[in-house]
Amino acid sequence: MAQSMQVGVRTNTSGQTQIAPITGNNKGLQRAEIKQGIREIITCKDADGKLGLRLRHVNNGLFVALVQNNYPAALAGLRFGDQVLQINGKDVAGWDTDKAHKFLKEAPADRITFAVRDRPFERTITMQKDSQGYIGFVFKNGKIKSIVKDSSAARNGILTDHQLIEVNGQNVVGMKDDGIGEIIDAGGRTITVTIMPSFLYDHICKCMGNSLMKKLMDHSVPDV
């Protein structure tokens, strides 16, 4: 069983709160950015006819539930939690998971277009580590369980019962807690996490086990 990990931040010796700087030079913040509006993604199937993509219907919308590493969907920039609005010009509102996968299976291999809204159920929070490298919350199995009082996490709005989706823009869905902790430790003083309410995460990931997510999910660091 994965062990919970605690990271916490306190006020500094002068009593001032440590707040994460929001700057254009922060690579993690740039990678994690959730852009407004709709973007078009153009991709194709690989030599085996695969996209490396699984979708899940939630509230009559289609959402990205799995993006496999080094497959066309990942290379084109699709990310966990993205909402798919159209596929090859067809509106997908109201489609269930089976209909979406059947449509993709029958789609031409050489060109598939998606209209996508960036991760509407997710939000990003930027925090600052203290001198001991802590930012202020406890998580287990990727789920935030508690928040350290007066920490950077507490002051910047981290919430319990939320799932860690990305750290500095790198997908951590399906990773073990120690692997997530290593990414946080190596992430520099400023850490940006992307979180999603746990009940929505559980619904999107329904019918996919952690072992499948860990084995197949794209955990690469996005380009900026």
Side-chain angles (χ1 to χ4, degrees), residues 73-183:
L75 298 174
L78 283 168
R79 291 164 83 159
F80 179 90
D82 279 343
Q83 183 180 6
V84 177
L85 304 175
Q86 291 184 342
I87 304 175
N88 286 348
K90 292 190 176 294
D91 294 334
V92 300
W95 287 20
D96 62 18
T97 303
D98 290 340
K99 182 174 181 178
H101 288 161
K102 182 175 185 293
F103 185 85
L104 287 172
K105 185 176 182 179
E106 295 174 352
D110 59 340
R111 180 184 171 96
I112 300 175
T113 62
F114 295 88
V116 175
R117 186 178 297 281
D118 276 9
R119 300 162 283 156
F121 289 142
E122 301 172 29
R123 66 189 182 105
T124 61
I125 298 174
T126 301
M127 296 161 288
Q128 193 86 348
K129 292 178 182 175
D130 68 358
S131 60
Q132 299 179 33
Y134 298 138
I135 49 178
F137 59 86
V138 176
F139 63 92
K140 187 172 184 179
N141 297 324
K143 182 178 180 179
I144 299 169
K145 308 294 280 187
S146 62
I147 301 166
V148 178
K149 184 179 180 181
D150 295 327
S151 67
S152 182
R155 295 180 188 277
N156 284 286
I158 282 282
L159 299 172
T160 55
D161 294 322
H162 278 61
Q163 195 77 19
L164 290 169
I165 305 299
E166 295 177 352
V167 176
N168 283 347
Q170 180 177 356
N171 185 294
V172 297
V173 171
M175 291 183 64
K176 292 183 177 180
D177 287 347
D178 55 359
I180 299 174
E182 289 173 2
I183 293 173

